[in-house]
Amino acid sequence: MNNQNLKIALQKSGRLSESSTNLLKKCGVKFDNGTSKLRSVARNFPLEIFFLRDDDIPQYVEDGVADIGIVGRNILAEENRRVETVRPLGFGVCRLAVAVPKAFEYESIKDLSGKRIATSYPNILKDFLAENTVEAEIHTISGSVEIAPSIGLADAVCDLVSSGSTLFTNGLREVETVMSSEAILIARPALDAPQQAILDKLLFRVKAAEAAESNKYILLNAPDEELSEIIELLPGIKSPTVMPLAQTGWSSIHSVIAETDFWETVENLKNKGAEGILVLSIDQMIK
Ligand code: PRT
Ligand code: ZN
């Protein structure tokens, strides 16, 4: 084992696995996936990858078996390990929510007083109830929380929700959001200098990949008399590139636009007389 490697723990198989390995791949890191392996060494970057159950990742990072890891914020909040949150990663988005059967006449959080709530997140739920001065009975169960009310085990549940369809099919209604969650990058505190340097290099690439995903490259032709107004619509990284077309009175403009306001910008550009608008994906974007 090479001590100069940075060791990262990823979920072996589950909701975060694919996005976690994809993130490394977008950063140009080449390695074999963890479907049949527990460990893999990247071929072109000083990174060693451990494939683990998500619940074990914070402890592995705290103990220094791994230097960094990718895990849901919900897992870290429940376990409360001594690790640092480096940055959110924008995938695995979900929320921990309290839900009650549809027939439950729920008006406020006080209606949970004295009720039995089934959850796999007893610590987070305990703090949430205490903050709201509600006393309820917490039933810790490790899976299939959503069926607890229908089998008479609980009056309410506190579980992760993304689309809401699991709650719906089990006749439950979401009534309180306990916490919002997404995948986060965690690290053991006080990394050694060589590991910190590799992490910084990886973070630089993560930022470039994220910026590339949230932006588009745009090319268009515009009549010269509208140039100044069109340029205002296209801030670009510094400012847009403007080149004359062979046809006099027209210019070609190249710029970068945010994906979020992409359609609105394109409509505004067309209204200002822009033509031949091409929009391309960006592989990497280094600001
Ligand atoms: O085997 P291992 O222990 O590694 O995996 P796991 O089964 O414990 O975890 P996994 O793969 O289910 O989830 C990993 C992480 O993904 C979680 O810790 C969350 O941070 C995140 N995540 C995002 C979710 C969801 N969305 C999610 N919807 N985790 C679980 N769910 C479940 C939820 O528990 C419920 O059963 O999906 C169901 C609800 O989904 P909707 O879409 O019907 O609302
Ligand atoms: Zn798990």
Side-chain angles (χ1 to χ4, degrees):
M1 205 183 287
N2 180 351
N3 286 332
Q4 296 307 306
N5 277 353
L6 183 74
K7 295 182 226 104
I8 185 168
L10 305 183
Q11 188 186 25
K12 181 169 166 58
S13 86
R15 286 188 158 82
L16 304 183
S17 310
E18 202 182 334
S19 301
S20 302
T21 52
N22 280 347
L23 177 71
L24 293 183
K25 287 181 177 164
K26 277 184 236 158
C27 293
V29 181
K30 292 197 164 48
F31 60 96
D32 295 326
N33 272 5
T35 37
S36 59
K37 293 182 159 201
L38 291 178
R39 175 177 164 260
S40 181
V41 178
R43 294 190 284 279
N44 60 347
F45 195 82
L47 195 69
E48 197 174 326
I49 303 135
F50 293 105
F51 300 99
L52 304 167
R53 287 205 49 197
D54 66 346
D55 319 68
D56 297 334
I57 291 175
Q59 185 175 0
Y60 274 75
V61 173
E62 182 181 50
D63 293 349
V65 177
D67 300 304
I68 60 173
I70 295 179
V71 74
R73 197 191 288 283
N74 49 294
I75 297 280
L76 190 64
E78 179 63 23
E79 294 195 7
N80 195 20
R81 298 271 170 195
R82 273 176 295 111
V83 298
E84 279 169 11
T85 299
V86 180
R87 65 170 358 252
L89 295 170
F91 57 83
V93 175
C94 57
R95 56 199 181 273
L96 187 65
V98 175
V100 297
K102 294 217 171 82
F104 190 129
E105 285 175 18
Y106 189 94
E107 273 167 19
S108 82
I109 192 158
K110 301 289 173 219
D111 295 330
L112 294 175
S113 287
K115 296 288 190 286
R116 297 162 303 161
I117 310 175
T119 189
S120 307
Y121 294 88
N123 293 324
I124 303 176
L125 179 59
K126 181 165 75 60
D127 290 348
F128 175 76
L129 293 173
E131 273 161 30
N132 288 283
T133 56
V134 169
E135 278 187 36
E137 234 178 84
I138 299 176
H139 283 250
T140 307
I141 51 178
S142 58
S144 304
V145 171
E146 65 279 359
I147 63 165
S150 63
I151 59 171
L153 194 70
D155 305 302
V157 300
C158 172
D159 199 10
L160 295 175
V161 183
S162 44
S163 69
S165 65
T166 303
L167 292 183
F168 183 79
T169 49
N170 285 282
L172 299 167
R173 181 167 66 94
E174 198 175 333
V175 291
E176 301 287 343
T177 300
V178 177
M179 77 173 282
S180 302
S181 185
E182 68 182 286
I184 52 173
L185 185 67
I186 57 170
R188 72 181 161 83
L191 284 178
D192 309 330
Q195 272 78 30
Q196 184 63 52
I198 303 168
L199 175 57
D200 290 344
K201 213 168 153 177
L202 189 66
L203 287 173
F204 179 78
R205 296 187 187 192
V206 169
K207 272 192 209 137
E210 269 185 4
E213 259 178 23
S214 50
N215 287 280
K216 298 271 181 200
Y217 190 74
I218 186 165
L219 300 103
L220 54 105
N221 296 329
D224 285 345
E225 62 267 24
E226 300 294 346
L227 266 185
S228 55
E229 286 194 59
I230 285 183
I231 286 171
E232 259 180 39
L233 295 171
L234 295 168
I237 298 178
K238 238 190 179 70
S239 73
T241 307
V242 180
M243 287 179 288
L245 286 189
Q247 186 180 335
T248 48
W250 281 78
S251 295
S252 165
I253 305 179
H254 299 202
S255 190
V256 168
I257 55 174
E259 189 166 34
T260 41
D261 30 69
F262 161 72
W263 281 112
E264 211 179 314
T265 308
V266 168
E267 279 159 24
N268 292 339
L269 289 167
K270 268 200 82 58
N271 292 339
K272 292 278 173 228
E275 289 181 6
I277 304 174
L278 296 181
V279 179
L280 310 173
S281 301
I282 301 171
D283 272 350
Q284 302 293 341
M285 183 167 148
I286 294 117
K287 286 188 192 165

